[in-house]
Amino acid sequence: MSLDWFKSRGYRHFDLPVGEKFAGKVMDPGFVLKHSFLPLLHYTKSEKRYKKCPKTGTRTITSKDRPIKYASHRDACILSFYAREMNKLLDAHYDAAGLSDSVLAYRALGRGNYDFSAEVFAYAKTHAPVTILAFDVSSFFDNLDHALLKRRLKALLGVASLPEHWMRVFRSITAFHYVDMEELKANPTFSTRLKENSRVRIASVEELKANGIKFHPNPELAKGYRRGVPQGTPISAAVSNLYMIDFDTAARAYCDSIGALYRRYSDDILVICDPTHAKAAEAKIMDLIKAEKLEISPHKTERTEFTGTGAVVGKAAQYLGFALHESGPTIRESSLARQWRKMRRAVRRTRKIAERNIASGKSTKAHTKRLYRRFTHLKVRDEEGLRIVRNFSSYGRRSAAAFAGDEKISQQVKRFERAALREIEMLKKL
């Protein structure tokens, strides 16, 4: 059997990285039955959000925190294999049920976010007047109900009860335990190890226990709820699509009945319908989500009108990193601003290092090759010859092409590229 699902991971955990020899063993259910899953490692991924008030122009800074829990190397290898098996069955189901073009996230479709967004934009323009309804599920991974998830896994596998090896995998993502990275950093022994430039494991389970490191249970189980799966493991994405399998079928059937478009990307749900159906469609999606024991925050539901006249009416529809206005799409301002901040930080850091090295005689100039790679569209020559790298600039150009060469996106990207080149050229004058 092919090992195309296997990849070696370089991060540090409570065990060492594994190779294809170990990966070959995990395909044996008997091996999985004997395996003991280690605690997950938890950290919080914070993302700054900058919001601009349309009336005053003032910007406010908020932070969106996402709890990430990642598995040990051996556990990740096992979960990767079972995710592959799950995805094969899900893809077969989507093809048979006519849902392949509706469920977009975490699938090998050979297309990018810009392709999906361009398709939605073209549909709205062609079928205008329409209402675009965008829904966001609240705390998606934390609220996945274990009973519903288990029922759907059995249905997907076509069994009355889960085979024990599947049950072991199911328990590993529902009755999981984790270690908090901040608690490790606060421990004198492990804080030193974490700073080491090494690939050795952080600690054994025995060492963690001896040093009083707490193994936290699934937070939702601790509250008395049988729900919640970790976000960040190799199987989390497949599990999220599995959980929504009945919702996708029902939502697509309803949208087909009213001549509407239905799309779901993880916990982002989008419906484009005739304005006369908008109110009923919104209520229907809310009811279907409630049946899944999930919630949509009404204040997060966005409604955008495409009138067919090209006029700008209200806010743009926010979809997969793009702002879709009837007058033309753009890359979201927040996404663009994030790239500008990254570019300026990198330039400042390069300048500081260059000034220090020039002053000490270690160098005579600023080294800018990495900046060209990260922030411009230019090809950079290195030991391997000319290389085109994947960065925001190339992403923006592909996005403009997907939207039929839209001028607004091209202008955004070119403005960014000019600024990056200007900053780099100034560094060369040091």
Side-chain angles (χ1 to χ4, degrees), residues 12 31 42 97 116 142 160 180 210 219 232 259 301 311 379 409:
R12 295 179 67 191
F31 180 81
H42 163 85
F116 302 138
D142 292 340
D180 194 298
T301 300
K379 296 179 181 179
I409 293 177

Side-chain angles (χ1 to χ4, degrees), residues 215-230:
F215 290 14
H216 301 273
N218 176 346
E220 296 303 312
L221 286 181
K223 296 175 193 173
Y225 301 109
R226 297 186 62 79
R227 67 188 183 195
V229 300

Side-chain angles (χ1 to χ4, degrees), residues 196-213:
E196 294 171 354
N197 184 18
S198 169
R199 296 192 69 182
V200 301
R201 65 181 180 179
I202 299 169
S204 66
V205 169
E206 292 73 23
E207 284 181 296
L208 292 172
K209 291 178 177 178
N211 280 270
I213 298 297

Side-chain angles (χ1 to χ4, degrees), residues 139-201:
S139 303
F140 182 57
F141 285 91
D142 292 340
N143 288 304
L144 301 188
D145 182 80
H146 294 170
L148 288 180
L149 180 60
K150 187 176 181 181
R151 186 188 310 163
R152 279 153 200 177
L153 180 55
K154 288 192 289 186
L156 186 71
L157 297 174
V159 296
S161 61
L162 286 181
E164 189 54 35
H165 60 108
W166 271 102
M167 195 64 201
R168 292 292 298 275
V169 171
F170 181 80
R171 290 194 193 105
S172 76
I173 57 167
T174 53
F176 62 88
H177 284 75
Y178 68 91
V179 169
D180 194 298
M181 180 66 84
E182 292 305 313
E183 293 178 15
L184 284 180
K185 290 179 179 178
N187 182 282
T189 300
F190 303 129
S191 63
T192 303
R193 289 188 192 175
L194 288 168
K195 293 174 185 175
E196 294 171 354
N197 184 18
S198 169
R199 296 192 69 182
V200 301
R201 65 181 180 179

Side-chain angles (χ1 to χ4, degrees), residues 72-98:
S72 67
H73 295 282
R74 289 172 177 250
D75 296 353
C77 185
I78 291 172
L79 295 177
S80 293
F81 172 69
Y82 281 82
R84 199 281 295 265
E85 296 299 289
M86 196 181 292
N87 281 326
K88 284 196 301 185
L89 294 171
L90 283 170
D91 283 339
H93 167 78
Y94 294 144
D95 288 340

Side-chain angles (χ1 to χ4, degrees), residues 93-125:
H93 167 78
Y94 294 144
D95 288 340
L99 288 167
S100 269
D101 60 349
S102 292
V103 182
L104 307 177
Y106 316 128
R107 301 180 62 211
L109 298 175
R111 294 186 291 162
N113 288 4
Y114 40 80
D115 295 310
F116 302 138
S117 298
E119 183 182 277
V120 162
F121 180 72
Y123 181 94
K125 290 275 285 186

